[in-house]
């Protein structure tokens, strides 16, 4: 298995986290310890769990961390929807697309590992 840095899903998760940091920098300062913090942690968690899973000894363990990754993706998506509804940001198609891309890649990796 490749290291996490060689996995395309990890690279895309890093790009997603960078997008979240850029987006949340525009949020009201009153949200620094609210949605800003939550969204940043969720985004970092996505890439971190992929990396941690890739470092595990078995595919079963890796799959476990990929499922945790899917939970972090769902958290981030929920937080983004709330921020959008609170009008902290205009809908960013690029962020929504990136979230969905990473979700699909994670599910695809789970299927691949199970089929091995």
């Amino acid at each position: 298995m490749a290291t996490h840095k060689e996995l395309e899903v990890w690279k895309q998760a890093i790009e997603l986290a960078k997008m979240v940091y850029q987006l949340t920098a525009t949020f009201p300062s009153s949200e620094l310890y609210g949605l800003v913090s939550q969204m940043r942690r969720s985004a970092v968690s996505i890439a971190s769990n992929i990396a941690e899973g890739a470092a595990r000894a078995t595919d079963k363990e890796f799959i476990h961390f990929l499922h945790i990754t899917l939970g972090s993706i769902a958290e981030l998506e929920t937080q983004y929807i709330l921020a959008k509804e609170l009008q902290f940001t205009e809908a960013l198609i690029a962020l929504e697309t990136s979230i969905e891309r990473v979700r699909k890649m994670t599910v695809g990796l789970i299927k691949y590992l199970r089929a091995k």
Side-chain angles (χ1 to χ4, degrees), residues 21-36:
Y21 268 76
Q22 292 168 350
L23 173 68
T24 55
T26 67
F27 283 17
S29 59
S30 62
E31 283 301 317
L32 183 60
Y33 300 106
L35 275 177
V36 170

Side-chain angles (χ1 to χ4, degrees), residues 3 11 16 26 28 34 39 44 46-47 49 56 61 64 68 70 75 77 95 99 110 113:
T3 70
K11 293 175 187 176
L16 174 59
T26 67
M39 289 179 74
V44 170
I46 293 166
N49 279 302
R56 295 296 173 142
E61 289 176 296
H64 171 75
I68 294 169
L70 290 173
E75 282 183 67
E77 184 177 41
L95 183 62
I99 290 170
I110 290 169
L113 291 170

Side-chain angles (χ1 to χ4, degrees), residues 9-20:
V9 67
W10 180 83
K11 293 175 187 176
Q12 291 298 317
I14 291 294
E15 290 303 312
L16 174 59
K18 288 167 36 180
M19 290 173 72
V20 167

